[in-house]
Every structure is written in structure tokens, then in C-alpha cells.
Amino acid sequence: MEKRLGHRTHERSGLQELNLKDCRAYLRKHGLRITGTKAECIQRIMEHWRIKDGNAEALFPRSSFTINCTGDVCKGDTVLFMQKVYKKFDKATRSGTSIGKRTVAGRVVKESYGAAKQQHTFTVEVLWSKGMKKLPPLFPLLVKGRNLYKLKTFRQRWKNETERHKVLAEKHKRGAAARLVRAKMKTKKACSKNGGVLSVRNVIIQKERTLDWRKGSTLKDVARPQWSTQNPVLIVRRPQQLQEQT
């Protein structure tokens, strides 16, 4: 397939003769993203030809990244940021030996919140990079949000900034939902740490039995813990609220 591509011009008309399988074979060989339609893959191949010889910095100069977007990057942004480079990084301990820094210019092609921890992750298609361990053109770089924003992030201006506001609003909506899910997960984990919700409830009931109830008092006269099976959060209702329910 590489030989077939070598005999073609860089014109789209020549690439149209290739099928999707051929396009993906080229992209896979060069470590590029293989997702998308045939038209999208052809566009990626053409861009790779355009910048693979080191022309990317001339096409996307530092001076074009004028807007500080630290903390607020969205899909479609063309960004410039700096990241630390490690000789060997241990994901378990989140530590490693830093050997320097790398400047990366790239296009954000995907961003999502992980299902397990709801952490924000960006996929940046590298246009050019400088510094330690330079990355090849169009390399799909995965970056956690906290690392993308750590040393300031700048972006190019969109042709239509109003369109960006819509993309940003949709991202913020998903972000709020992700934070809510994470908060619920933390609450459930805290409640079930010592044997589950039932164990916590039993501890509360046991403490109630040791209380010195006032003579003539009933359970309606005192504040008593209430539990929700759907949301394991302790709710304390006052006597007046309990009387209204009975």
C-alpha cells in the first residue's frame, strides 16, 4: 500500500482511488489515528504529507497562539502548552525522574471524562513539538486536564468564536455531570468502608439504645436518624418533622 501511495500525487483526486482499508494501513504504519470516514482519513494523510518534513511550525507559529485558555480547553482548539518529560514515570506512585520539558502545539480532537474516576482527558493531535523527546507530526497525545493546564495553555482564535462558545457550554454541562457522579461515588465509598451502609446504620441504632431517654419521651419526641436506601446519606429529622409525617 505504501508503494501505491508513493506513486500518487498529493492531490485528493489521486487518494480517492484508495479504499478505506488502504488509508488506515498508512495511518497505522505512521502511528496516526485511524478513526473516521474515508474522507477524514484522506484529509489526515494529506495533512501528514504537508507537515511531516518540519513545516508545521511555519504553518502554526508561536505568535498565532495569543489567547490564554488555561483551565478552559475544548474540542476543536489548536493549543500550545508545555509539559514535563520523565525518564521513567510510575503511574501507581504518580512520580518519576524529570529530564526536562517539551513544548507541544496541537489540535484537540477529543476530550472525555473517564468512567472510573471521572477524570478529564484530552487527545491532542500533535502539529509540532520542541524540547525533550520530540513527538512525530499528528501523533495522538493523551493528556490529563491537570497536566494540560499545569504550565499555562494558549490557543489560536477560532474563525467563529460563537461556535466555540457552544462547544464549551456542552463540555461544561458534561463536566458538571461528571463531578456529581464522582461526588456520589465518594459518598458511597465512605459509607460502605466499614462493611456497607447496613453496618453504619447498625452503629447509629446501637448508639441510640445507649442514650438516656427522658422519662415519657417517645421516638416521636426526639431527633432520630433517617436513612435513604437509594442515597446512603444520613438525614436527621427534627421532632416536628416526624410528627407531621405520622
Side-chain angles (χ1 to χ4, degrees):
M1 182 264 173
E2 186 73 19
K3 186 176 180 180
R4 290 175 62 189
L5 279 174
H7 288 290
R8 301 190 187 279
T9 66
H10 292 188
E11 299 297 329
R12 181 181 292 271
S13 58
L15 289 173
Q16 287 294 344
E17 298 178 21
L18 298 175
N19 57 40
L20 182 58
K21 184 177 179 181
D22 288 337
C23 293
R24 286 179 173 172
Y26 175 89
L27 295 172
R28 187 179 290 107
K29 179 176 180 178
H30 292 277
L32 310 181
R33 292 187 304 124
I34 63 173
T35 58
T37 63
K38 177 182 174 181
E40 290 171 333
C41 289
I42 288 175
Q43 182 64 34
R44 201 169 298 138
I45 291 172
M46 292 179 67
E47 186 168 30
H48 183 247
W49 278 341
R50 188 165 61 115
I51 67 175
K52 68 178 182 177
D53 296 325
N55 301 323
E57 192 170 0
L59 296 170
F60 304 92
R62 285 174 179 263
S63 58
S64 64
F65 298 89
T66 57
I67 302 175
N68 189 337
C69 58
T70 304
D72 219 6
V73 170
C74 66
K75 181 181 177 181
D77 279 345
T78 302
V79 297
L80 179 73
F81 63 98
M82 187 178 292
Q83 61 177 176
K84 291 183 178 180
V85 180
Y86 296 89
K87 184 177 181 181
K88 188 176 181 181
F89 188 82
D90 190 336
K91 292 183 178 180
T93 60
R94 296 177 56 79
S95 62
T97 303
S98 177
I99 59 175
K101 296 178 181 179
R102 175 172 58 209
T103 300
V104 179
R107 186 183 298 111
V108 180
V109 295
K110 183 181 178 182
E111 53 88 11
S112 61
Y113 293 89
K117 296 183 179 180
Q118 302 300 319
Q119 292 183 343
H120 205 184
T121 303
F122 294 87
T123 301
V124 179
E125 204 168 54
V126 176
L127 297 170
W128 58 266
S129 64
K130 281 191 170 183
M132 299 300 297
K133 293 187 177 181
K134 290 177 61 176
L135 301 169
L138 298 190
F139 177 81
L141 177 66
L142 294 178
V143 188
K144 294 291 184 185
R146 60 177 178 271
N147 295 327
L148 179 64
Y149 300 139
K150 186 172 290 185
L151 300 174
K152 285 192 178 182
T153 310
F154 295 87
R155 68 175 177 88
Q156 292 183 335
R157 185 175 296 278
W158 283 35
K159 291 182 179 179
N160 186 349
E161 284 287 317
T162 302
E163 185 63 28
R164 183 180 186 272
H165 292 326
K166 294 179 182 178
V167 176
L168 205 58
E170 190 274 334
K171 177 198 132 178
H172 289 164
K173 185 177 180 180
R174 285 186 290 107
R179 286 188 290 273
L180 181 61
V181 170
R182 188 174 184 182
K184 287 183 177 180
M185 289 170 62
K186 284 186 175 181
T187 301
K188 289 182 180 180
K189 186 176 180 180
C191 290
S192 60
K193 190 174 182 180
N194 295 317
V197 176
L198 289 177
S199 296
V200 178
R201 184 190 300 178
N202 289 339
V203 171
I204 297 295
I205 293 175
Q206 186 64 33
K207 287 184 178 180
E208 286 181 344
R209 290 174 179 172
T210 61
L211 292 176
D212 184 15
W213 301 103
R214 290 173 298 176
K215 186 176 181 180
S217 297
T218 64
L219 293 180
K220 295 180 182 179
D221 299 322
V222 296
R224 182 178 178 82
Q226 301 289 311
W227 290 87
S228 169
T229 56
Q230 294 180 348
N231 189 9
V233 178
L234 179 63
I235 304 172
V236 178
R237 301 188 187 280
R238 305 309 305 169
Q240 185 178 359
Q241 293 175 318
L242 289 168
Q243 289 176 2
E244 291 175 356
Q245 291 181 358
T246 57

